[in-house]
Amino acid sequence: MIRMIVAASALLLAGCQAATAPAPKTDSAAAPAIAPILDTPDAVDVHSYAKPLEARVTHLALDLGVDFTAKRIGGTATLDIAAKPGATSIILDDKGLEIEKIATAEGAPLTYKVGAIDENLGAPLEIAIGTARKIVITYKSAADAGALQWLSPAQTAGKKQPYLFSQGQAIENRTWIPTQDSPGIRQTWEAKIRVAQPLTAVMSAPKVGDPVTEGDARTFSFKMDRPVAPYLIAIGVGDLAFKSLGPRTGVWTEPSMLDKAAAELADTEKMVAAAEALYGPYQWGRYDLLVLPPSFPFGGMENPTLTFLTPTFIAGDKSNNSLIAHELAHSWSGNLATNATWSDFWLNEGMTTYATTRIVEAVYGPKVAAQQISLGHDAMRKAVEENGGVAGADTRLRIDLKGRNPDEGLTDIAYEKGAAFLRTIEIAVGRERFDAWLKGWFARHMFQPVTTSLFLADIRQHLVKGDAALESRLMLDAWVDQPGIPTSLAPADPTIFAEVDSAVTTFAAGTMPDTAMWGRWTTDERLRFLTRIDRKQPLDRLEALGRQFGLARAGNNELRFAFLDLAVANRLDPAVPALEDFLMTQGRRKYVRPLLTALAEDPSWGRPIALRIYPRARPLYHPVTTRDIDKLLGWAGAEIDLKRA
Ligand code: BES
Ligand code: ZN
């Protein structure tokens, strides 16, 4: 028994430490060591049923087949467990999994119980493990798994093969993986994935060997030997091809997309170098990207070793490349040092947004970076307005998400207020000192969960170092726990968009931007223009603007969205066909949700348009996109309504 505990503790520790960190001391009599932060009150994750201090999963081995006909992934998950001495049960997160049996590694059946179901969280899966510290769960993914999107051949670029991909963040992976789905509980993992020929499976982990062929199936193997938060486990299956971009970078996508995607991503290797200069060595081996079909609900997702990307970022001129910088930056902020709970989400996204502009500065120059900071400040102010104004509780960086879906924390408060906070600290202490702290933060906390309290303590210990004047200038606590924007905010450069801003003024007086000038403007400059002009526009002027610069069908989707957003706000009828095309051909939630929301909230003009488009567009959208829009448009009971409309 004692020997078993020692083994379990060693395993657990291996799960928390960087590969390079010295082996920590173990005490076999004590409770198993965990990331120490998990034993603090603000590391308690209200979005997971797991009790990691009692028993936690340290390693996960998946052996799964992908069934496109049944739209299920099924097989076994073998879990290694580290538990407190004497612990006889473990609690996992389960959202609709179809469990066939649970047994010990030797095959002895174990009893288990699925508790009451919560709409957001799913249910606790409590397993009576007795003394077993390795268990095997035979199961299938949930029938309506929120993490998975199954695409028919018609919904792919190639039109011949089906496609499957997953999106785990924030709490969706519990719909296809039986584990403790909490960002503070890091696990190493491996997987064997069986798919029909000629499909290829990719995952967010290094491949192991070549696929093994058996009849008309192939099995792909993967192994992640660094402990990761379980929301970072991801899969893609389809007709996929690979092209190298550099010594440690490359892109996967459907064959017909490969050249276009690779051209857009040509700066990736340079970006990895810039990120390393800022953050310290890249810890994950390869950095590859998977460009998904247009239904991918996000711009990007930082799945380790394999960032997932929307194809809508491809503009032909790399003008949306800050998205790559962003997902890459998560290889440190998010994937190395990970928000312990979704209340600390700003630590993932704010730090990443800050780093994004630093990488952009290194690769594309200081002017582009300064402009993106300025756009970020506008987005931050808009987010304050949309989240209850300067007194709104959700304008705090550390927010209370209990009883809500963590998705509700996905606002530009986390991204842009978070980034503005870090930039404010940078300006106050100087770049050299700030950068030294930043590298130190990752060196100290790599492969660990981090909380906002830990961040504050770390910055006080390693950067402020008791300097009372600096402490009061920074207003650290106000940034984190007060609503609105603290007065210490380092301003954006007010002259960085000088030419655009004067064009905004002349436009308000009735003059179109000069065609040559518009032609010279970068995408960010054009975006500044579209987001700074009055939201209410005379119809003829808005239409002329759209026509003159081809905005409703702009090749850059950020621009296209910004214009269509104005078009909806002004009920611009001539833009409706382009709006319909946009909603029917991509499912990026950031574009689809605001447009459909604005339409739905305009009962006489917009709602009929939304009700006409949505039934046809909906099959393209991922469950995390339809979830909100279904509610908005009353989808479930509304099918009859829709038929009448
Ligand atoms: N990790 C996020 C996406 C995410 C957050 C998915 C929370 C689910 C829950 C990703 O890194 C991200 O921020 N994507 C942005 C990119 C943008 C800010 C450059 C997106 O998808 O728009
Ligand atoms: Zn992000």
Side-chain angles (χ1 to χ4, degrees):
M1 186 62 198
I2 298 285
R3 287 178 70 119
M4 267 185 61
I5 293 163
V6 175
S9 301
L11 195 62
L12 187 71
L13 286 159
C16 310
Q17 297 296 324
T20 49
K25 291 193 200 92
T26 59
D27 176 359
S28 61
I34 49 158
I37 196 75
L38 283 191
D39 205 0
T40 62
D42 57 353
V44 174
D45 178 7
V46 298
H47 296 109
S48 169
Y49 293 102
K51 294 187 177 151
L53 301 178
E54 305 290 316
R56 63 185 280 269
V57 175
T58 59
H59 181 78
L60 171 71
L62 300 170
D63 189 344
L64 302 171
V66 178
D67 181 344
F68 277 95
T69 312
K71 298 193 170 151
R72 294 290 184 99
I73 301 181
T76 59
T78 302
L79 275 48
D80 289 330
I81 295 164
K84 211 157 100 173
T88 55
S89 73
I90 186 166
I91 304 176
L92 311 181
D93 293 297
D94 168 1
K95 197 169 180 189
L97 299 172
E98 202 177 294
I99 295 165
E100 190 186 310
K101 65 168 190 246
I102 303 182
T104 65
E106 295 74 32
L110 297 170
T111 57
Y112 62 90
K113 182 176 92 207
V114 179
I117 299 170
D118 175 274
E119 185 202 356
N120 288 319
L121 308 183
L125 166 58
E126 182 165 8
I127 307 163
I129 54 175
T131 56
R133 295 297 179 260
K134 187 188 272 289
I135 63 171
V136 183
I137 303 174
T138 306
Y139 78 104
K140 284 195 183 75
S141 57
D144 52 354
L148 303 178
Q149 191 174 15
W150 302 86
L151 298 176
S152 66
Q155 293 170 310
T156 67
K159 313 279 179 217
K160 293 214 173 72
Q161 297 296 333
Y163 202 108
L164 163 71
F165 68 87
S166 70
Q167 165 60 40
Q169 198 179 13
I171 54 170
E172 304 298 335
N173 267 351
R174 59 192 67 177
T175 63
W176 74 286
I177 305 174
T179 190
Q180 293 177 314
D181 188 15
S182 176
I185 307 176
R186 306 182 81 91
Q187 297 150 41
T188 53
W189 63 275
E190 63 194 291
K192 286 192 180 8
I193 306 291
R194 203 172 52 259
V195 300
Q197 298 251 38
L199 299 174
T200 293
V202 293
M203 288 190 88
S204 53
K207 292 195 278 201
V208 180
D210 290 324
V212 176
T213 307
E214 255 178 290
D216 62 359
R218 286 197 296 174
T219 301
F220 293 79
S221 298
F222 307 90
K223 193 169 194 335
M224 173 52 74
D225 58 12
R226 310 295 173 91
V228 296
Y231 72 86
L232 294 170
I233 304 173
I235 187 170
V237 178
D239 178 14
L240 298 176
F242 177 80
K243 188 166 183 166
S244 173
L245 297 168
R248 55 180 162 169
T249 55
V251 56
W252 287 96
T253 192
E254 289 187 68
S256 67
M257 296 284 294
L258 195 56
D259 289 337
K260 260 203 304 188
E264 202 80 6
L265 292 168
D267 294 336
T268 306
E269 197 74 39
K270 262 192 262 175
M271 287 192 180
V272 179
E276 285 192 307
L278 178 67
Y279 269 159
Y282 182 73
Q283 297 284 338
W284 305 91
R286 293 195 55 83
Y287 182 72
D288 293 326
L289 305 108
L290 172 67
V291 177
L292 288 127
S295 68
F296 186 63
F298 295 102
M301 178 63 213
E302 65 271 25
N303 297 314
T305 73
L306 186 67
T307 280
F308 282 26
L309 288 179
T310 171
T312 65
F313 90 100
I314 298 174
D317 60 2
K318 303 181 186 167
S319 52
N320 294 329
N321 270 19
S322 58
L323 171 68
I324 318 308
H326 178 100
E327 303 313 334
L328 169 65
H330 274 306
S331 305
W332 290 262
S333 40
N335 298 357
L336 275 189
T338 308
N339 53 208
T341 76
W342 300 113
S343 289
D344 306 303
F345 182 60
W346 79 274
L347 277 175
N348 275 18
E349 297 300 342
M351 202 175 279
T352 295
T353 302
Y354 168 80
T356 303
T357 32
R358 294 291 304 273
I359 295 167
V360 165
E361 181 183 319
V363 178
Y364 299 108
K367 183 169 176 193
V368 178
Q371 290 187 333
Q372 292 187 359
I373 288 167
S374 186
L375 291 173
H377 278 215
D378 279 3
M380 168 177 75
R381 293 207 177 85
K382 186 163 173 237
V384 170
E385 263 167 50
E386 289 172 352
N387 286 280
V390 293
D394 286 348
T395 67
R396 296 170 302 170
L397 286 178
R398 173 158 56 184
I399 63 170
D400 181 7
L401 290 166
K402 197 172 167 67
R404 298 194 275 169
N405 192 298
D407 258 19
E408 292 188 31
L410 215 176
T411 71
D412 271 325
I413 297 299
Y415 286 76
E416 297 296 349
K417 183 181 172 183
F421 177 30
L422 295 165
R423 191 166 161 275
T424 297
I425 303 173
E426 181 214 312
I427 307 276
V429 302
R431 185 168 274 195
E432 205 180 317
R433 266 177 78 190
F434 185 74
D435 285 2
W437 171 80
L438 197 60
K439 279 209 175 90
W441 167 256
F442 291 103
R444 285 186 288 280
H445 306 296
M446 66 165 129
F447 299 105
Q448 301 282 343
V450 288
T451 61
T452 303
S453 302
L454 180 72
F455 168 86
L456 290 173
D458 192 283
I459 218 152
R460 289 196 161 104
Q461 184 184 347
H462 297 282
L463 193 59
V464 179
K465 296 181 180 161
D467 178 340
L470 178 61
E471 172 77 42
S472 83
R473 236 180 330 131
L474 288 178
M475 308 176 70
L476 298 172
D477 295 317
W479 273 97
V480 163
D481 287 322
Q482 294 299 311
I485 311 299
T487 53
S488 68
L489 171 74
D493 179 347
T495 65
I496 202 71
F497 282 116
E499 189 180 50
V500 181
D501 290 346
S502 68
V504 167
T505 311
T506 35
F507 185 69
T511 311
M512 259 320 139
D514 174 69
T515 310
M517 179 175 71
W518 181 276
R520 247 192 352 259
W521 282 354
T522 62
T523 295
D524 289 338
E525 288 166 332
R526 294 171 184 178
L527 281 172
R528 169 76 160 204
F529 182 84
L530 292 177
T531 53
R532 278 281 177 120
I533 59 175
D534 291 336
R535 238 184 119 61
K536 281 283 168 219
Q537 286 289 333
L539 276 189
D540 54 339
R541 198 184 303 160
L542 190 61
E543 195 194 349
L545 182 73
R547 208 176 340 100
Q548 187 158 345
F549 303 118
L551 295 174
R553 294 180 189 277
N556 183 295
N557 284 303
E558 293 290 324
L559 275 178
R560 191 170 171 190
F561 168 75
F563 180 75
L564 291 173
D565 184 50
L566 282 171
V568 171
N570 290 281
R571 300 181 163 185
L572 186 65
D573 283 312
V576 172
L579 172 69
E580 181 163 349
D581 279 356
F582 191 58
L583 292 171
M584 295 280 299
T585 51
Q586 55 77 39
R588 187 168 172 186
R589 197 170 75 174
K590 174 182 150 187
Y591 296 152
V592 164
R593 188 165 57 177
L595 291 173
L596 284 168
T597 305
L599 288 171
E601 286 171 353
D602 175 352
S604 60
W605 184 82
R607 200 166 174 94
I609 297 175
L611 293 178
R612 181 165 57 77
I613 297 175
Y614 191 56
R616 285 173 297 132
R618 192 179 183 278
L620 179 71
Y621 300 164
H622 187 278
V624 306
T625 309
T626 53
R627 191 169 56 206
D628 296 350
I629 302 173
D630 283 356
K631 277 190 201 143
L632 193 76
L633 290 173
W635 175 259
E639 260 167 278
I640 310 138
D641 262 327
L642 288 165
K643 278 191 203 116
R644 254 191 276 131

